[in-house]
Amino acid sequence: MAKNIENADKFNNIKQVLIIIVIILLIVLQFLFLYKRIIRIKLAKKKFDLSFYRLDADGNPVSSVAFQLFSKNKKVALKRDGKSLIRHSNDEGLVTFDDIPGRLYYVKEATTNKNSGVIAGVKKLKDKNMTFCPTKKSKPFFHSDNNKLWIIR
């Protein structure tokens, strides 16, 4: 009988320790979520320019190519003054989305229907410029170096 009571006490102690650990983990997760939320709010208050060059496979600039900006999840086309946020490359192949809030966006060529875009934007408060965040599959087409971004297709 005494052994059963002792085992029950040990089980209760283990259960209490596990409950305390779970509560501590939940509190830590809440703080991490709050921290990330604060960073997103601070980034959204900053304005950035997303500029990149559109080049062909030989490295020559391609002009008059339309690019559209979407939310990071690729579903919502962003608008400014009620119009879709679309920019065209100039004679040097330069495309500029100016004065956009700091966060991640999906940039896609408007003339192609395939999933040929890239995530671009800022992730950290200390970032001064927007950069591309290509997937492994699309990495050969999207480059960034010395604060210059370019797309080669």
Side-chain angles (χ1 to χ4, degrees), residues 116-127:
S116 63
V118 65
I119 300 291
V122 291
K123 292 182 178 180
K124 300 176 184 172
L125 281 174
K126 66 180 182 178
D127 290 344

Side-chain angles (χ1 to χ4, degrees), residues 50-54 65 67 87-89 93-97:
L50 174 60
S51 298
F52 56 91
Y53 292 91
R54 173 61 166 91
V65 178
F67 287 88
R87 299 292 184 261
H88 294 83
S89 57
L94 181 66
V95 180
T96 301
F97 292 96

Side-chain angles (χ1 to χ4, degrees), residues 131-132 142-150:
T131 59
F132 288 146
F142 303 99
H143 302 279
S144 60
D145 188 27
N146 297 332
N147 295 328
K148 281 190 176 180
L149 306 172
W150 60 92

